[in-house]
């Protein structure tokens, strides 16, 4: 069994982006990070994105509206960033306060600056196999992990467990594309699937994205399968100072001996998401013709 | 084996729409049909759409630009229809002349008038399970055939043969939705699928949309499956005056004895597409609040 090292692959990608950005003659790509309020997890995510931007040479612009901001006021901020030629990418950190319609906010971001890939148009473009699409960071990161660990999906059966809008559906559409590295036969399973283990056992490549701790057990996996574990679940652990540990959607101890390759949690898909955000920001810059 | 009678189901739907439109107090829904040039198949399709509109009480407005029209001139026509409050739905008949970028034209149609469902936003909305989506007419017609023939997809394995943008992908996304009637486990196969018969034999519901005459044979179908045949292929037939006959993607003679339900060709999916276009037009009218 080979471990797919997300930390290493993300670091390689970040180093490549840094080299690419350092070669740019004029202004550097600019990423606007909008964080509403100060939810601790959001603070930590935005800080990470800001630091990685700096490491690559991407300019970041941090906008910190208060948690009391109205939806219209937030729209006004987004409209300004959409119109600003110095801004290449816009990320509005999720989750937003309950009085704000998150889907409406994501749709407000101009498609060509939507580096988070949550705008309806970018999702449609993924289905259309349009290369100007911005693919959302987790599914894009999964495809990058597969490619860089030497897994060609052509002729393979890819089983996606979970039909979420941010992982399951886009990664299924990507795996299905008529492109080098993709071209998989794709099955999508979910909570209403009958006889799930029989279906997951068909998988040459199994992508687990259902948010249920250690849900995928050895009896659900075909020997030799490539297993991508998207889950990041906290489970109680009295032996830890924090009182919890992180586990994936896959029972690593029993599944990893069966798998030909597998991602660990943490250190698998997780580190790829920020790296893909950076890649999308550089792509937005390049597609803009730097305006 | 039960035959799924597309002619009957389409006629029922048209009668329902007629009743609904007749109850409208004010102006009636209006569908703009744009046909570039006079390709005989396009003439026949547009005529059929015009006649069905009239039958229901939908006003149609026919625009017939010459085959020499430029893309910008066609855009100008679409922009005018987009802006016209008296127009609810816009259909630009495909195929367009080679000098015009069809995808760009479909994207030009305002999403809220895109009754053909080819705008990128409407495809993205299907993925997002947004009920304001306009679903393109063939996949929408397949779902209607399944629903009206009493086939609930919940817990079923739906295998879609073909990953086209106008049938395979959208019907897969629809079958997967977390909605009454849908909720299927969905597999999408295509030209690069290995061991195809083993996969199609998993299907409780098999949807064939690859455009290859009589490709699906009895060995590829599980006894008791519901079979939806989307193909409409001309094959030579000396016994016919026209010199050809129409066959589907399914070898009807050998598959139909195995199937629990099956659509014939012609008279299955085909008649549903115009009916769904009419349904979309009435939906566009309703969603507009009749402006």
């Amino acid at each position: 069994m080979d471990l797919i090292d997300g930390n290493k692959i993300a670091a390689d990608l970040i180093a490549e982006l840094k080299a690419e950005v350092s070669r740019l003659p004029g202004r550097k790509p600019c990423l606007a990070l909008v964080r509403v309020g100060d939810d601790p997890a959001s603070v930590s995510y935005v800080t990470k994105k800001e630091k990685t931007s700096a490491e690559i040479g991407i300019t970041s612009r941090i906008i910190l509206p208060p948690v009391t901001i109205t939806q219209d006021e937030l729209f006004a901020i987004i409209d300004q960033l959409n119109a600003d030629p110095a801004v290449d990418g816009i990320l509005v950190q999720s989750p937003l306060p309950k009085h704000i319609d998150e889907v409406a906010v994501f749709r407000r971001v101009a498609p060509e600056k939507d580096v988070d890939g949550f705008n309806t148009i970018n999702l449609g473009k993924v289905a259309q196999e349009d290369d100007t699409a911005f693919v959302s960071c987790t599914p894009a990161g999964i495809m990058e992990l597969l490619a860089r660990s030497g897994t060609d999906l052509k002729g393979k059966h890819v089983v996606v467990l979970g039909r979420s809008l941010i992982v399951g559906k886009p990664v299924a559409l990507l795996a299905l594309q008529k492109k080098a590295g993709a071209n998989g036969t794709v099955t999508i399973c979910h909570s209403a699937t009958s006889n799930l283990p029989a279906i997951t056992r068909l998988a040459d490549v199994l992508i687990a994205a259902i948010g249920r701790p250690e849900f995928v057990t050895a009896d659900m996996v075909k020997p030799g399968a490539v297993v991508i574990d998207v889950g990041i679940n906290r489970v109680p652990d009295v032996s830890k100072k924090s009182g919890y540990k992180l586990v994936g959607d896959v029972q690593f101890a029993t599944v990893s001996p069966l798998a030909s390759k597998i991602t660990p949690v943490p250190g698998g898909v997780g580190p790829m998401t920020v790296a893909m955000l950076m890649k999308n920001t550089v792509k937005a810059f390049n597609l803009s013709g730097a305006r």
Side-chain angles (χ1 to χ4, degrees), chain A residues 259-275:
Chain A
S260 62
K261 300 176 197 168
I262 188 169
T263 59
V265 175
V269 176
M272 293 302 293
T273 57
V274 173

Side-chain angles (χ1 to χ4, degrees), chain A residues 203-234:
Chain A
D204 301 309
V205 177
L206 180 61
I207 300 172
I210 41 165
R212 294 175 64 175
E214 302 186 313
F215 180 82
V216 176
T217 45
D219 61 304
M220 297 170 71
V221 179
K222 177 166 73 173
V226 174
V227 179
I228 304 291
D229 188 351
V230 187
I232 302 179
N233 309 288
R234 284 186 178 192

